[in-house]
Amino acid sequence: MLDPGDRALEFLLLAPHRPGPGGRQAADDRLAARIREVHRDSDCTYGAPRITAELRDEGGQVVNHKRVARIMRTIGLQPSKGSRRTWSQPRTLHRPDLRR
């Protein structure tokens, strides 16, 4: 016959590991707060890939870009549509005509 302490230990060893109810939701809520902060600090220009990189650079939780994108959709964040970088000079160099 097992005493109550052994039964508790047996239960813990044999029970499948699952986060408690709302465990993922609580983690997503904490991550959403951090995503909002990074998004706001970037003047609302960063999308999911850049926010993911920023979170990794800070040494915080390593998170997948797909999860960041899902949370951004859930909380209604989108990067602002800015202008893309344009080249002021043509990429090809014009060589002078030396035949003159």
Side-chain angles (χ1 to χ4, degrees):
M1 187 88 190
L2 295 173
D3 66 14
D6 288 341
R7 276 193 226 136
L9 181 61
E10 182 181 20
F11 173 76
L12 290 175
L13 292 175
L14 298 177
H17 176 68
R18 289 185 184 171
R24 178 178 172 185
Q25 185 62 41
D28 282 354
D29 290 343
R30 287 190 302 272
L31 188 58
R34 188 68 194 115
I35 288 172
R36 278 190 191 99
E37 188 177 319
V38 171
H39 188 69
R40 184 178 49 240
D41 291 346
S42 73
D43 295 327
C44 302
T45 57
Y46 283 5
R50 283 188 177 177
I51 289 177
T52 304
E54 189 75 24
L55 292 172
R56 286 181 183 164
D57 288 345
E58 292 174 353
Q61 180 182 6
V62 176
V63 62
N64 191 316
H65 69 279
K66 294 177 198 173
R67 183 176 181 193
V68 172
R70 177 180 53 82
I71 292 172
M72 285 181 70
R73 277 193 311 270
T74 304
I75 60 179
L77 292 181
Q78 291 181 346
S80 64
K81 303 273 186 199
S83 62
R84 296 273 181 173
R85 180 178 173 185
T86 59
W87 294 92
S88 59
Q89 298 175 354
R91 287 186 166 190
T92 59
L93 296 175
H94 294 286
R95 297 196 172 114
D97 186 8
L98 300 176
R99 292 182 283 170
R100 287 186 189 179

